[in-house]
Amino acid sequence: DAGVIQSPRHEVTEMGQEVTLRCKPISGHDYLFWYRQTMMRGLELLIYFNNNVPIDDSGMPEDRFSAKMPNASFSTLKIQPSEPRDSAVYFCASSLAPFNEKLFFGSGTQLSVL
Amino acid sequence: DQQVKQNSPSLSVQEGRISILNCDYTNSMFDYFLWYKKYPAEGPTFLISISSIKDKNEDGRFTVFLNKSAKHLSLHIVPSQPGDSAVYFCAASAPNTGNQFYFGTGTSLTVIP
């Protein structure tokens, strides 16, 4: 299995622009998670899906953030408009069960908003 | 509010010696704890876990100790190897938070050959 695939690996954009991060979970995993890693707060859960349905989006910082999962093999995290404080590494993870230790993380997207 | 804290951003250890990574938490309802390991340009991978009914769990060179009264856990790596150089995250979950995992900010371990 190829594992969780995220794209792009790096994204540099200017403040105010729209940013879309993409994720392909491991086939057969029912749960998909979006995390954000910062130096100050570590790994924060933004939102998670079960069978393509958003279950908990309480970690989404602002209305500028949105996430979708149109099918079992694809999810997007969108930031519109982006701000410099959104600069972080964004990870997608999938698992067979919610918050199971067997969370499989992608390699992350390093986002820099100038 | 950071419920899981890793107060040492970095740690350097000689190869063959013991590495001790520490983690403190504030929520007394946390009952399950994990350590993840992260190499540069990769996502975190699960390393070892411990339930609150235990105070120690061992897996090869890795041992996690839990001190519930002090709300403290630690990861011991013995002997340390250069390949252990990575960022280590501790995480905790509680039934009253939907079992969501709360992660610390990570400790970067460097094992010097």
Side-chain angles (χ1 to χ4, degrees):
Chain A
D1 197 319
V4 176
I5 300 173
Q6 290 187 246
S7 64
R9 292 296 302 272
H10 302 275
E11 177 77 38
V12 180
T13 190
E14 292 187 348
M15 182 174 65
Q17 296 297 307
E18 177 179 299
V19 174
T20 300
L21 312 181
R22 297 171 175 79
C23 175
K24 175 178 167 54
I26 292 174
S27 177
H29 282 189
D30 296 328
Y31 291 84
L32 183 140
F33 306 81
W34 282 100
Y35 282 88
R36 178 172 67 175
Q37 181 193 0
T38 61
M39 292 291 289
M40 291 297 294
R41 302 185 66 82
L43 282 162
E44 298 176 277
L45 178 64
L46 300 177
I47 185 172
Y48 81 95
F49 295 83
N50 176 210
N51 291 325
N52 314 337
V53 176
I55 302 300
D56 185 352
D57 65 354
S58 60
M60 297 286 258
E62 298 174 34
D63 291 344
R64 299 183 295 106
F65 286 70
S66 63
K68 294 181 179 179
M69 192 165 185
N71 57 63
S73 59
F74 184 66
S75 177
T76 60
L77 178 67
K78 185 176 294 186
I79 309 172
Q80 166 64 17
S82 59
E83 296 183 3
R85 59 195 168 118
D86 301 330
S87 299
V89 182
Y90 291 81
F91 288 101
C92 175
S94 70
S95 75
L96 289 169
F99 305 113
N100 185 282
E101 68 223 29
K102 298 299 182 187
L103 274 176
F104 293 84
F105 283 84
S107 299
T109 295
Q110 173 75 60
L111 173 65
S112 297
V113 183
L114 306 177
Chain B
D1 183 28
Q2 198 71 15
Q3 298 193 54
V4 177
K5 299 177 183 179
Q6 294 177 257
N7 293 317
S8 297
S10 62
L11 175 68
S12 291
V13 173
Q14 288 289 135
E15 181 179 3
R17 299 290 185 94
I18 183 172
S19 295
I20 300 176
L21 294 89
N22 294 305
C23 181
D24 296 294
Y25 59 95
T26 57
N27 188 343
S28 59
M29 296 297 291
F30 284 148
D31 64 354
Y32 195 63
F33 306 86
L34 308 91
W35 285 92
Y36 274 81
K37 179 179 182 179
K38 181 186 177 305
Y39 291 118
E42 295 183 11
T45 55
F46 169 74
L47 183 60
I48 192 169
S49 63
I50 188 168
S51 165
S52 60
I53 62 174
K54 294 185 174 182
D55 54 18
K56 175 183 174 181
N57 188 27
E58 191 172 350
D59 183 2
R61 295 185 298 112
F62 302 89
T63 303
V64 56
F65 294 91
L66 175 62
N67 183 333
K68 291 184 288 294
S69 61
K71 296 192 183 67
H72 177 83
L73 70 156
S74 60
L75 175 68
H76 292 210
I77 307 173
V78 183
S80 301
Q81 299 174 354
D84 297 328
S85 297
V87 176
Y88 291 78
F89 292 95
C90 67
S93 72
N96 68 341
T97 59
N99 284 320
Q100 174 185 339
F101 282 114
Y102 292 86
F103 284 82
T105 51
T107 296
S108 177
L109 173 66
T110 301
V111 180
I112 304 165

XYZ file of all heavy atoms in Angstrom, chain A residues 65-112:
366
model
N -11.253 28.397 7.132
C -10.865 27.003 6.909
C -12.103 26.172 6.589
O -13.130 26.280 7.269
C -10.201 26.426 8.158
C -8.807 26.912 8.412
C -8.567 28.229 8.799
C -7.724 26.062 8.272
C -7.275 28.683 9.033
C -6.427 26.498 8.515
C -6.206 27.809 8.893
N -11.981 25.324 5.581
C -13.054 24.391 5.267
C -12.446 23.091 4.765
O -11.341 23.083 4.227
C -14.005 24.976 4.214
O -13.320 25.201 2.997
N -13.159 22.000 4.978
C -12.676 20.695 4.533
C -13.828 19.914 3.936
O -14.967 20.028 4.378
C -12.052 19.920 5.689
N -13.482 19.129 2.923
C -14.477 18.294 2.275
C -13.915 16.905 2.050
O -12.694 16.715 1.967
C -14.884 18.901 0.926
C -15.622 20.223 1.025
C -16.001 20.721 -0.366
C -16.758 22.044 -0.265
N -17.134 22.567 -1.615
N -14.826 15.960 1.929
C -14.424 14.607 1.561
C -15.488 14.081 0.607
O -16.455 13.422 1.026
C -14.276 13.711 2.791
C -13.598 12.401 2.480
S -13.057 11.555 3.970
C -12.174 10.171 3.233
N -15.371 14.372 -0.668
C -16.409 13.996 -1.640
C -16.543 12.504 -1.860
O -17.608 12.028 -2.269
C -15.965 14.714 -2.920
C -14.499 14.946 -2.750
C -14.275 15.124 -1.274
N -15.468 11.757 -1.590
C -15.534 10.302 -1.703
C -14.502 9.677 -0.772
O -13.715 10.390 -0.136
C -15.323 9.857 -3.157
C -14.009 10.345 -3.722
O -12.949 9.987 -3.241
N -14.090 11.171 -4.768
N -14.505 8.365 -0.723
C -13.667 7.657 0.255
C -12.182 7.767 -0.019
O -11.362 7.397 0.824
C -14.081 6.187 0.295
N -11.815 8.248 -1.186
C -10.402 8.256 -1.530
C -9.826 9.656 -1.703
O -8.706 9.814 -2.197
C -10.175 7.455 -2.827
O -10.920 8.011 -3.882
N -10.561 10.674 -1.258
C -10.061 12.026 -1.496
C -10.645 13.010 -0.494
O -11.848 13.001 -0.219
C -10.414 12.463 -2.922
C -9.878 13.805 -3.315
C -8.515 14.018 -3.430
C -10.741 14.858 -3.598
C -8.019 15.260 -3.797
C -10.252 16.102 -3.974
C -8.887 16.301 -4.082
N -9.775 13.875 0.007
C -10.225 14.947 0.893
C -9.408 16.199 0.614
O -8.257 16.119 0.172
C -10.054 14.554 2.366
O -10.416 15.616 3.229
N -10.029 17.352 0.838
C -9.337 18.626 0.685
C -9.505 19.472 1.927
O -10.525 19.400 2.625
C -9.867 19.420 -0.519
O -11.264 19.676 -0.327
C -9.643 18.671 -1.813
N -8.494 20.254 2.203
C -8.543 21.285 3.245
C -8.249 22.604 2.543
O -7.216 22.744 1.893
C -7.501 21.016 4.326
C -7.402 22.046 5.454
C -8.664 22.038 6.310
C -6.178 21.775 6.337
N -9.180 23.530 2.662
C -9.050 24.786 1.954
C -8.958 25.940 2.939
O -9.669 25.961 3.961
C -10.253 24.979 1.024
C -10.183 26.197 0.131
C -11.372 26.255 -0.821
C -11.346 25.131 -1.819
N -12.416 25.254 -2.848
N -8.101 26.878 2.633
C -7.972 28.099 3.425
C -8.201 29.279 2.487
O -7.496 29.440 1.495
C -6.578 28.229 4.081
C -6.213 26.954 4.849
C -6.565 29.426 5.033
C -4.778 26.931 5.365
N -9.218 30.075 2.783
C -9.560 31.196 1.928
C -10.183 32.317 2.749
O -11.264 32.124 3.312
C -10.532 30.742 0.824
C -11.241 31.835 0.061
C -10.315 32.734 -0.740
O -9.168 32.370 -0.994
N -10.788 33.904 -1.113
N -9.549 33.474 2.837
C -8.216 33.796 2.348
C -7.142 33.365 3.339
O -7.381 33.288 4.537
C -8.277 35.327 2.264
C -9.185 35.717 3.394
C -10.221 34.628 3.470
N -5.973 33.086 2.821
C -4.884 32.654 3.694
C -4.222 33.861 4.369
O -4.257 34.991 3.849
C -3.851 31.862 2.890
O -3.333 32.640 1.842
N -3.647 33.611 5.563
C -2.950 34.633 6.331
C -1.595 34.076 6.775
O -1.435 32.864 6.888
C -3.773 35.038 7.553
C -5.108 35.685 7.208
C -5.881 36.139 8.442
O -5.348 36.001 9.569
O -7.019 36.633 8.270
N -0.637 34.961 7.053
C 0.694 34.474 7.475
C 0.645 33.541 8.678
O 1.427 32.603 8.761
C 1.439 35.775 7.786
C 0.834 36.779 6.863
C -0.629 36.418 6.809
N -0.290 33.758 9.604
C -0.352 32.898 10.785
C -0.853 31.489 10.479
O -0.846 30.624 11.364
C -1.247 33.516 11.856
C -2.680 33.775 11.430
C -3.341 34.712 12.434
N -4.614 35.209 11.948
C -5.779 34.977 12.551
N -5.814 34.258 13.647
N -6.896 35.480 12.068
N -1.272 31.261 9.244
C -1.663 29.902 8.833
C -0.448 29.064 8.459
O -0.581 27.856 8.217
C -2.614 29.965 7.636
C -3.873 30.762 7.926
O -4.305 30.790 9.098
O -4.419 31.353 6.981
N 0.709 29.688 8.389
C 1.919 28.956 8.024
C 2.195 27.862 9.045
O 2.279 28.114 10.250
C 3.115 29.913 7.946
O 2.903 30.893 6.954
N 2.303 26.633 8.571
C 2.454 25.459 9.435
C 2.633 24.241 8.540
O 2.586 24.342 7.317
C 1.220 25.278 10.317
N 2.802 23.089 9.171
C 2.759 21.831 8.430
C 1.390 21.201 8.679
O 0.963 21.061 9.830
C 3.870 20.859 8.867
C 3.805 19.580 8.026
C 5.244 21.505 8.723
N 0.724 20.848 7.605
C -0.602 20.248 7.702
C -0.499 18.768 7.357
O 0.011 18.402 6.299
C -1.578 20.957 6.752
C -1.885 22.358 7.199
C -1.002 23.404 6.926
C -3.040 22.649 7.926
C -1.257 24.698 7.366
C -3.309 23.946 8.370
C -2.405 24.960 8.090
O -2.662 26.231 8.523
N -0.976 17.932 8.281
C -0.925 16.490 8.084
C -2.331 15.931 7.898
O -3.282 16.342 8.570
C -0.293 15.791 9.290
C 1.183 15.990 9.418
C 1.697 16.907 10.316
C 2.066 15.244 8.640
C 3.059 17.089 10.446
C 3.426 15.435 8.756
C 3.921 16.352 9.666
N -2.417 14.984 7.029
C -3.610 14.177 6.881
C -3.274 12.800 7.436
O -2.141 12.325 7.290
C -3.999 14.100 5.406
S -5.373 13.017 5.035
N -4.240 12.167 8.089
C -4.034 10.828 8.632
C -5.305 10.016 8.415
O -6.402 10.579 8.337
C -3.684 10.884 10.111
N -5.146 8.714 8.311
C -6.328 7.860 8.206
C -6.176 6.662 9.131
O -5.067 6.318 9.553
C -6.552 7.413 6.756
O -5.568 6.502 6.320
N -7.303 6.050 9.463
C -7.269 4.876 10.333
C -8.538 4.052 10.136
O -9.527 4.517 9.570
C -7.131 5.279 11.800
O -8.342 5.792 12.306
N -8.471 2.839 10.660
C -9.631 1.950 10.604
C -10.636 2.273 11.695
O -11.799 1.929 11.586
C -9.181 0.490 10.732
C -8.444 -0.089 9.524
C -7.818 -1.432 9.880
C -9.386 -0.251 8.336
N -10.160 2.909 12.757
C -11.027 3.219 13.895
C -10.701 4.627 14.361
O -9.602 5.120 14.128
C -10.815 2.212 15.016
N -11.640 5.287 15.032
C -11.378 6.662 15.458
C -10.355 6.723 16.577
O -10.429 5.970 17.536
C -12.741 7.141 15.938
C -13.444 5.905 16.379
C -12.965 4.827 15.440
N -9.414 7.620 16.441
C -8.436 7.890 17.473
C -7.750 6.619 17.970
O -7.395 6.487 19.119
C -9.094 8.628 18.646
C -9.790 9.866 18.200
C -11.165 9.973 18.269
C -9.078 10.910 17.643
C -11.809 11.114 17.825
C -9.715 12.064 17.198
C -11.091 12.157 17.297
N -7.636 5.673 17.080
C -6.871 4.470 17.361
C -5.397 4.808 17.265
O -5.018 5.692 16.515
C -7.254 3.403 16.330
C -6.622 2.069 16.581
O -5.459 1.869 16.274
N -7.370 1.160 17.125
N -4.580 4.096 17.993
C -3.153 4.389 17.899
C -2.617 4.176 16.502
O -1.599 4.718 16.132
C -2.369 3.518 18.874
C -2.362 2.034 18.523
C -2.560 1.155 19.715
O -3.206 1.599 20.657
O -2.083 0.011 19.696
N -3.325 3.356 15.723
C -2.849 3.080 14.383
C -3.311 4.166 13.422
O -3.981 3.916 12.434
C -3.337 1.718 13.904
C -2.823 0.579 14.745
C -1.315 0.497 14.732
C -0.842 -0.710 15.554
N 0.634 -0.727 15.697
N -2.944 5.384 13.778
C -3.133 6.491 12.856
C -1.984 6.468 11.868
O -0.827 6.434 12.270
C -3.111 7.825 13.599
C -4.393 8.363 14.233
C -4.096 9.640 14.980
C -5.452 8.591 13.185
N -2.309 6.492 10.583
C -1.281 6.513 9.560
C -1.250 7.925 8.975
O -2.233 8.372 8.387
C -1.572 5.478 8.475
C -1.470 4.060 8.968
C -2.542 3.450 9.595
C -0.291 3.345 8.810
C -2.456 2.143 10.062
C -0.195 2.037 9.269
C -1.275 1.440 9.896
N -0.125 8.581 9.156
C 0.007 9.957 8.712
C 0.633 10.033 7.319
O 1.483 9.207 6.953
C 0.904 10.745 9.663
C 0.248 11.147 10.952
C 0.183 10.265 12.019
C -0.297 12.413 11.113
C -0.408 10.634 13.226
C -0.892 12.800 12.307
C -0.948 11.902 13.365
N 0.217 11.041 6.565
C 0.909 11.382 5.339
C 2.175 12.150 5.665
O 2.483 12.405 6.841
N 2.897 12.530 4.635
C 4.173 13.225 4.828
C 3.998 14.709 5.117
O 4.965 15.388 5.439
C 5.061 13.044 3.601
O 5.345 11.667 3.406
N 2.778 15.193 4.980
C 2.517 16.576 5.338
C 2.687 17.551 4.190
O 3.361 17.265 3.196
N 2.049 18.702 4.342
C 2.227 19.832 3.428
C 2.780 20.992 4.242
O 2.150 21.427 5.214
C 0.900 20.255 2.777
O 0.410 19.212 1.941
C 1.103 21.521 1.941
N 3.941 21.460 3.832
C 4.549 22.623 4.475
C 3.977 23.875 3.809
O 4.262 24.150 2.647
C 6.058 22.594 4.323
C 6.769 23.854 4.816
C 6.827 23.947 6.318
O 7.394 23.071 6.983
N 6.254 24.995 6.898
N 3.167 24.621 4.541
C 2.527 25.824 3.987
C 3.214 27.068 4.512
O 3.385 27.231 5.725
C 1.047 25.863 4.366
C 0.294 27.146 3.983
C 0.236 27.303 2.472
C -1.118 27.142 4.572
N 3.583 27.929 3.597
C 4.153 29.228 3.957
C 3.309 30.300 3.304
O 3.170 30.330 2.075
C 5.602 29.343 3.483
O 6.427 28.379 4.110
